Amino acid sequence: MDDLSRFIVGLPKAELHIHIEGSLEPEMMLALAGRNGVTLPYADVEAVRAAYRFGDLQDFLDLYYRGMSVLRQEQDFYELAMAYLRRAVADNVRHAEIFFDPQGHTGRGIAFKTVIDGLWRALGDAREEFGITASLILCFLRHLDEASAERTLDEALPWRDRIVAVGLDSSENGHPPSKFQRVFARARGLGLRAVAHAGEEGPADYVRQALDLLKVDRIDHGNRSLDDPELVARLAREKMPLTVCPLSNLRLCVVTDMAQHPLKRMLAAGLRATVNSDDPAYFGGYITDNFVAAQKALGLGRNEIVTLARNGFSAAFCDEATKLRHLAVLDDYCLPRR
């Protein structure tokens, strides 16, 4: 391991784009299937991993929804979140903002309470055990209609205090942000922050819609923003964070070669890019792996790596005191050692 890779391993990090269902490793998937009596079309862990060959986002989503079918009980959601948080701590993640997809569970008969109680208990235990701060972002599935999103927001109201923001994920093409304008307005009226996947496979105009119609605080992915110089200038001017996921982009063929990834160009354009893992169990890497892969392929320097880490903490939805505490740890780590 070279010096810069070692520096990245120890670097304090924030993760702002992690789908908890996408951290379901094959071993846990099969164990939960056995515990809950769920039949999967895989004989063993190797067969599951062999299925992780995706031609595009939809190929991945088909497997993703099949995998989440093993999550049935509160304890399942607890164990899933704790497994991710332990791994995040090993990667020196100090703060995580975790996406969850309630419609993917309630649509198959799992109570919203079962999902959020399991996740919330894990966040509390991880804070006590590891000192990591974490929060939950409720994502609406964009391939479903806005009425379904409205019902999901209704279901979430008793647990409003456990949710920091709403998001928008799943199949992007053909499902523009404009489809969810009313439910996002309602969520913001409840005091929730807002994020949305945009410009991963969809066009730059989806990013503009997320900004203008959904009034988001962050853009998830945002790669296709670079197709529109005027939009790039706006994102830089407004200091809009982008939660970028390099290994995800490679595995889903958003880019065909990591050396062509736009992350370095984003930084050069003054964009507030961050590095995240997206669905690490499916895409072959957690947050440190993403930092290292991007650094090696793009020739990122130490200052660029530190900027990416700083952007992550600065764009987080934690309170100012917590944010400053995490940034102080980052600054201390980056001081020259004698």
Side-chain angles (χ1 to χ4, degrees):
M1 187 181 294
D2 59 39
D3 287 347
L4 195 47
S5 294
R6 280 193 289 271
F7 176 78
I8 290 170
V9 168
L11 185 72
K13 307 171 185 75
E15 175 137 58
L16 307 180
H17 187 151
I18 166 71
H19 298 268
I20 198 61
E21 295 90 350
S23 69
L24 180 61
E25 291 286 348
E27 293 83 359
M28 180 176 283
M29 184 189 296
L30 293 178
L32 293 180
R35 184 163 84 190
N36 292 327
V38 177
T39 300
L40 294 173
Y42 311 113
D44 51 31
V45 168
E46 288 69 31
V48 178
R49 292 200 186 280
Y52 290 5
R53 298 190 184 95
F54 313 117
D56 57 20
L57 178 60
Q58 192 58 53
D59 284 351
F60 157 66
L61 289 171
D62 292 343
L63 181 60
Y64 174 81
Y65 292 125
R66 179 182 295 161
M68 73 163 63
S69 70
V70 305
L71 299 164
R72 299 292 182 88
Q73 306 171 57
E74 179 186 323
Q75 185 65 18
D76 302 339
F77 291 95
Y78 173 83
E79 291 175 13
L80 176 67
M82 280 301 289
Y84 162 72
L85 289 163
R86 287 192 189 96
R87 177 60 188 259
V89 168
D91 276 350
N92 282 298
V93 172
R94 303 304 179 99
H95 178 76
E97 297 182 358
I98 297 172
F99 297 140
F100 71 111
D101 290 331
Q103 289 155 292
H105 308 298
T106 58
R108 54 191 178 84
I110 310 302
F112 190 101
K113 182 179 189 300
T114 297
V115 179
I116 200 163
D117 279 354
L119 298 177
W120 187 252
R121 183 158 56 91
L123 267 57
D125 285 356
R127 181 190 290 266
E128 289 297 315
E129 187 173 347
F130 310 127
I132 186 173
T133 58
S135 54
L136 296 174
I137 297 177
L138 183 161
C139 284
F140 303 122
L141 299 180
R142 67 198 309 155
H143 67 276
L144 301 178
D145 60 25
E146 189 176 39
S148 176
E150 291 278 11
R151 291 192 295 272
T152 300
L153 186 56
D154 288 338
E155 289 182 280
L157 291 179
W159 297 277
R160 161 66 188 85
D161 61 328
R162 299 183 182 183
I163 299 167
V164 70
V166 295
L168 186 65
D169 63 9
S170 192
S171 311
E172 187 179 7
N173 281 328
H175 301 288
S178 58
K179 180 177 169 182
F180 297 91
Q181 186 172 354
R182 288 176 295 273
V183 72
F184 267 73
R186 184 176 161 218
R188 293 196 318 274
L190 293 168
L192 293 165
R193 308 295 290 273
V195 301
H197 287 50
E200 180 185 14
E201 288 193 325
D205 183 60
Y206 281 16
V207 176
R208 189 173 284 102
Q209 288 185 32
L211 297 172
D212 293 337
L213 303 181
L214 305 189
K215 312 291 186 186
V216 297
D217 300 284
R218 293 195 304 247
I219 295 289
D220 298 317
H221 292 296
N223 301 43
R224 297 288 299 278
S225 302
L226 296 184
D227 296 345
D228 185 333
E230 183 179 326
L231 177 60
V232 170
R234 175 184 176 182
L235 291 169
R237 184 173 64 252
E238 296 181 2
K239 296 181 169 35
M240 178 59 58
L242 306 179
T243 64
V244 183
C245 305
L247 288 175
S248 165
N249 294 158
L250 183 64
R251 291 294 292 273
L252 295 181
C253 305
V254 175
V255 297
T256 56
D257 187 319
M258 188 63 77
Q260 299 169 356
H261 196 278
L263 182 61
K264 190 177 181 77
R265 284 181 283 138
M266 289 175 172
L267 291 176
L271 299 185
R272 199 176 173 194
T274 69
V275 169
N276 310 271
S277 65
D278 203 0
D279 300 274
Y282 293 91
F283 300 147
Y286 287 77
I287 191 168
T288 293
D289 304 309
N290 276 268
F291 266 99
V292 170
Q295 186 280 316
K296 290 186 177 302
L298 300 173
L300 299 176
R302 177 182 165 122
N303 287 344
E304 290 168 309
I305 294 297
V306 173
T307 294
L308 289 165
R310 180 175 296 280
N311 287 347
F313 288 115
S314 297
F317 293 153
C318 50
D319 64 78
E320 198 63 24
T322 301
K323 189 178 296 189
L324 290 173
R325 185 172 75 249
H326 289 313
L327 284 167
V329 171
L330 175 64
D331 288 340
D332 182 66
Y333 177 79
C334 295
L335 286 173
R337 304 298 177 186
R338 293 186 178 182

